[in-house]
Amino acid sequence: MQVPTADQQRNMTDTTNKLRAVFLTALMIGSVFAAGIAFTGTAAAGNSNDVSGLAVNPSTVDNGTATVTVTGSTSSSGKDVVFAYDADNDGTIQADEVIDTVQDNGADDLDDSDNAFEFTFTPSDHGMTVGNSYTVGAWEEDGTYSGSDSNGANEATPFSASNFDDTTSLTISGSASDDSSYNSGSIVFQGETAVYDAGARDTNPANNYSLYESGDTPSPVRSVKYNPSTGLIKVSTSGLEVGTTYFLSNDGAVASESNGSTFTIREQNFDADFAEDSVDNAGETTVDLELTSDNRQTEPYNTTVTSENLDDSELVEILSESYTVSDVDVDDDGDISDGDGVELKVDAGGDISMPTNFSDIDAGNYTFTFDVTDTSAEDTANITVNEVGEGSVTFDANTYIEQQGDVFNITLDLSEAAQSGTLVIGDEETIGYEANVSFTDGNDDGQVSVLFNSYNAGTNGNVVSPANDEDTVSLTGNGQSATDISILESGDYDLAVSTDSEVNNTADSPNDVSVAVIEPRETIGVNLWTASDTTVSNFEDVDDITAAVNNNTLTESDKVAMYDSKGDTVVHAFEASGLTGLLNNESDSDDTTTEAFGKLLGDGVNLTINQTEGSTVANREPKIINTSELSIDAVFQSGDTYYVATDSDSFETESGSRSIAPEDVYNVTFTVDDSRLLDSEDSEDYQHVSDEIEIVERDASFDLNDDDEISVEAASNQTISGTTNIAPGSELTLRVRSSGDTSPRFVMSETVTVTADGTFMTDFDFSERSMNDTFTATLQGGNFADSPVSADGTVVEATMTSTTEAPSTTEAPSTTEAPSTTEAPSTTEAPSTTEAPSTTEASEETTEGSGSSGSGIPGFGMGIALVAVLGAALLALRQN
């Protein structure tokens, strides 16, 4: 056999390589065609009506957020089933129109049996909106979509809607009015269905609408369905991004300003919270529920409410205290009462806070979940419910004591859940009078104060009332045992109280007992005090009166200073018990004590101010002050004492022709003449108390020297003083002005206050004045009879301060302290050695006959020490 040459071998190798390449190419092309044939065959097999019995339950739901269940059968076990709907009605199924892909017996299949499938989905998650019906179809996936995306559809090869193996119908009831109809640029909340009226706004509405995301290069999101019968396009916002702007168009990726189809997705801000962390399940059982949305304030909206361990009826009881709540089929399973929650209406306003009521709810911790029905907003609110016992009611005192005609304040303390009950006052059988009272703690402070008016008891008047207007107090049952009796007699009236609403039960089995003691009343007396108008004008309560007495600006006096119908304020301290019931009857609910007492004068209590016989001029009738025109500036009550402040400026005689004059003395008399209070119609039984007051002329004077002038030194802190008879606390202006040839001229002034002993004083600085300067001091502002009140004054030479004082230098003990004399540093301090006073003090110290020297060593002074030293030196020299 001939062996090929090297060239022949190389040619043979090249030929072999080329044949191999051609073979491999042909093999690859053949594989592609073979794959194409296999693909077509598989597609035909995949659409061969292998899915049957397709059903949706429920087939009609109230809103798109409800969950529906899809069931059906497959031709054999293990098949993949694709579910979809033709959203835009174009006859084809695109990738975004596929609902889900479920494998028989796979992880998503809720039915474990062979050849059967079950799965759930939420219509709104796939663009299905209220007010529409949809055809849902399914087909088996036999490899047609084996290389597809997660939805099981091949975007490049749309599937024909007519090739569904089986179909069923799903209807989402409701009205488009529940959705968000928007104008161009409007806000649509995530979770809402954006409703666009294409029929009214678009010049060329058609079925080929798409939703686009706005931007420099708008990108399509999905196709949307146009309903030609309504002209509406409904776009589910599920899956759309918050803060992103979208638009609808059937003219390509161009937003048309004319059709106004642009909207922006926003997330609704929503907060739910209880005003308190806890609430009781008895007694005070209410707590405010606060629902807030700061970007949805102009319209009401609904929210579903659920809470574990609370059924729907309990939720309605809790929330319906103030909110509009209804038990609805939240999960659209056809069962309203299955504990799936309730629906609550949130009124427009954005910030709603109203009470909820947890009465009789089991104790525990509860979490309430609030889901806004038409958006994705949700929040939770936590509350702890406390177990509270039935509670009881007790008196705050063992005994209550008042006088006939007074008002008792009977305070009741309520514990735990107790909020109301019955109070029984007296006993018809034992004391001849009984009042039955019901009460309620309206402000939940655990206390009710019952005001029992002993003056009105036994009449049809206002017998009981609450001390706090938020509480409720009233007669109950048969009210009172009698309503036509005289004022209650003195004695002990039993008290019984309980949380029971029945009078007999309270009397037989009270929670607590006490006693109201009624003592005889009396009219005690009156004392007169005076004060300046300024002092009285600052009175706000009886504590201010006490303070004024303590600081001597309100003083007891039998004189009032007046001039030209102007004078101080007289404070009448009138003491009488048993008047509070009568006073309450005269006053309105908003009356002050001053207003109420003003009404009482002349109707139960009378005030007269009449001139005494002793001060009345011969052959003249005593003057009578017209008390009906008397100015009562203020009345303050402290127990049984009433402080009645009357301005003497308003003292006018009844005749009008005779004026108040100095040295007039008047008898001020208070008379109690109420027939029920006195239990007598006879005027001889009237009770009177009185005191006298003398009118004096307002005057003042300065303190003068023997020369009848004011003398001050040419120095600071020079006191000018005087006396007056006007009321303590009165403020005056004391002015000093240069007089005569005094130069330079000067004026100084200070405010002075009259003290309790009728004096006034203040200091002036005359250090810049010269000896023999003269001045005039004037007192202003007192409405004095002799006005102006003034006095002349002279500046005298200032008294020189003595410089020979040596108290501190004569203290011998300080000179005997040896340690201080041996400290060398102190002797080197030059400043201390240059102080002349200290050196003179030392000399004075050494002249004292104490036998001590400056060295502090008795009998051995500095001179002797020097002599001793010199002697020792000379002796040493001599020895040397």
Side-chain angles (χ1 to χ4, degrees), residues 56 86 99 135 330 355 371 428 484 690 699:
V56 176
D86 188 5
I99 297 173
T135 298
V330 174
D371 287 296
E428 184 178 7
D484 56 355
S690 62
D699 63 21

Side-chain angles (χ1 to χ4, degrees), residues 193-205:
T193 297
V195 180
Y196 173 58
D197 192 348
R201 300 179 189 174
D202 203 335
T203 57
N204 184 29

Side-chain angles (χ1 to χ4, degrees), residues 170-247:
L170 172 63
T171 299
I172 304 177
S173 62
S175 171
S177 62
D178 295 331
D179 302 328
S180 177
S181 297
Y182 65 89
N183 296 315
S184 183
S186 292
I187 300 300
V188 176
F189 291 115
Q190 189 177 55
E192 286 185 313
T193 297
V195 180
Y196 173 58
D197 192 348
R201 300 179 189 174
D202 203 335
T203 57
N204 184 29
N207 283 333
N208 58 339
Y209 277 91
S210 293
L211 177 67
Y212 291 87
E213 181 179 331
S214 295
D216 295 337
T217 304
S219 57
V221 178
R222 60 174 176 256
S223 298
V224 292
K225 180 180 179 180
Y226 170 69
N227 189 332
S229 62
T230 62
L232 302 179
I233 298 175
K234 297 182 179 182
V235 181
S236 171
T237 58
S238 177
L240 301 185
E241 294 185 6
V242 173
T244 301
T245 299
Y246 298 88
F247 66 89

Side-chain angles (χ1 to χ4, degrees), residues 212-512:
Y212 291 87
E213 181 179 331
S214 295
D216 295 337
T217 304
S219 57
V221 178
R222 60 174 176 256
S223 298
V224 292
K225 180 180 179 180
Y226 170 69
N227 189 332
S229 62
T230 62
L232 302 179
I233 298 175
K234 297 182 179 182
V235 181
S236 171
T237 58
S238 177
L240 301 185
E241 294 185 6
V242 173
T244 301
T245 299
Y246 298 88
F247 66 89
L248 295 168
S249 176
N250 61 355
D251 298 324
V254 178
S256 173
E257 295 296 334
S258 61
N259 63 21
S261 63
T262 302
F263 63 93
T264 302
I265 301 297
R266 288 285 185 266
E267 183 177 9
Q268 180 187 349
N269 294 335
F270 176 73
D271 294 304
D273 197 12
F274 288 103
E276 304 291 340
D277 295 332
S278 64
V279 64
D280 296 338
N281 62 4
E284 171 46 39
T285 59
T286 61
V287 60
D288 282 354
L289 170 63
E290 301 168 348
L291 301 176
T292 305
S293 178
D294 56 15
N295 63 355
R296 191 176 187 182
Q297 301 179 353
T298 59
E299 61 178 0
Y301 56 91
N302 294 331
T303 174
T304 59
V305 187
T306 57
S307 181
E308 189 176 356
N309 298 326
L310 290 175
D311 60 34
D312 292 356
S313 62
E314 289 174 317
L315 286 172
V316 170
E317 290 177 2
I318 292 170
L319 300 171
S320 61
E321 175 79 7
S322 301
Y323 287 95
T324 300
V325 184
S326 55
D327 188 4
V328 299
D329 187 9
V330 174
D331 57 10
D332 290 311
D333 62 355
D335 186 359
I336 293 179
S337 58
D338 61 352
D340 56 352
V342 298
E343 189 169 270
L344 178 148
K345 180 182 178 182
V346 183
D347 293 329
D351 191 355
I352 308 299
S353 180
M354 293 194 292
T356 57
N357 196 325
F358 285 81
S359 177
D360 297 326
I361 299 299
D362 291 341
N365 299 318
Y366 294 90
T367 297
F368 288 71
T369 301
F370 297 83
D371 287 296
V372 179
T373 57
D374 59 354
T375 74
S376 59
E378 66 176 4
D379 198 18
T380 58
N382 299 312
I383 190 79
T384 297
V385 178
N386 304 317
E387 184 72 37
V388 178
E390 180 181 340
S392 62
V393 57
T394 58
F395 294 100
D396 75 332
N398 294 325
T399 305
Y400 300 89
I401 302 175
E402 292 291 350
Q403 290 72 46
Q404 284 176 298
D406 274 333
V407 175
F408 285 84
N409 188 331
I410 304 171
T411 299
L412 309 174
D413 294 324
L414 298 94
S415 64
E416 296 188 272
Q419 283 191 298
S420 61
T422 303
L423 166 68
V424 179
I425 302 173
D427 187 309
E428 184 178 7
E429 294 182 0
T430 61
I431 203 164
Y433 175 80
E434 181 177 317
N436 303 313
V437 184
S438 66
F439 60 86
T440 301
D441 181 10
N443 59 1
D444 300 310
D445 63 351
Q447 197 171 76
V448 176
S449 292
V450 178
L451 301 180
F452 173 63
N453 190 330
S454 67
Y455 180 91
N456 288 342
T459 73
N460 290 318
N462 186 18
V463 178
V464 292
S465 60
N468 189 318
D469 290 339
E470 294 179 306
D471 297 332
T472 301
V473 172
S474 62
L475 292 175
T476 187
N478 59 356
Q480 302 180 89
S481 57
T483 58
D484 56 355
I485 60 175
S486 59
I487 194 166
L488 294 183
E489 296 181 8
S490 58
D492 295 350
Y493 292 76
D494 291 336
L495 302 175
V497 68
S498 78
T499 57
D500 201 300
S501 60
E502 294 296 327
V503 173
N504 291 336
N505 293 341
T506 299
D508 294 339
S509 302
N511 292 152
D512 196 15

Side-chain angles (χ1 to χ4, degrees), residues 653-823:
T653 60
E654 288 186 349
S655 64
S657 60
R658 302 174 65 190
S659 60
I660 308 296
E663 299 183 2
D664 284 355
V665 179
Y666 290 89
N667 191 302
V668 179
T669 303
F670 282 88
T671 300
V672 177
D673 56 9
D674 183 80
S675 59
R676 178 173 177 81
L677 191 63
L678 301 175
D679 197 19
S680 173
E681 299 283 349
D682 192 341
S683 61
E684 292 185 359
D685 292 327
Y686 292 172
Q687 297 176 346
H688 314 273
V689 289
S690 62
D691 198 3
E692 291 185 354
I693 191 162
E694 180 183 356
I695 306 300
V696 297
E697 194 170 62
R698 297 173 70 85
D699 63 21
S701 62
F702 287 98
D703 294 334
L704 307 177
N705 60 16
D706 293 341
D707 296 326
D708 290 334
E709 66 176 9
I710 301 170
S711 178
V712 297
E713 296 181 4
S716 59
N717 298 325
Q718 297 301 296
T719 301
I720 296 178
S721 59
T723 60
T724 180
N725 63 356
I726 66 175
S730 299
E731 292 185 348
L732 306 170
T733 300
L734 200 166
R735 187 179 67 181
V736 176
R737 181 190 293 273
S738 58
S739 64
D741 296 331
T742 297
S743 181
R745 312 296 288 177
F746 63 87
V747 176
M748 297 180 286
S749 66
E750 294 288 344
T751 298
V752 296
T753 302
V754 179
T755 62
D757 60 0
T759 62
F760 61 87
M761 66 178 62
T762 189
D763 290 341
F764 289 97
D765 184 1
F766 284 88
S767 61
E768 300 294 328
R769 310 280 75 85
S770 302
M771 187 176 64
N772 296 325
D773 280 354
T774 60
F775 61 87
T776 299
T778 305
L779 199 61
Q780 299 174 327
N783 189 40
F784 299 109
D786 295 328
S787 185
V789 176
S790 62
D792 294 329
T794 301
V795 179
V796 300
E797 182 179 5
T799 303
M800 297 300 292
T801 303
S802 174
T803 61
T804 61
E805 297 179 3
S808 63
T809 64
T810 59
E811 295 179 3
S814 65
T815 64
T816 61
E817 294 179 4
S820 63
T821 63
T822 59
E823 293 180 4

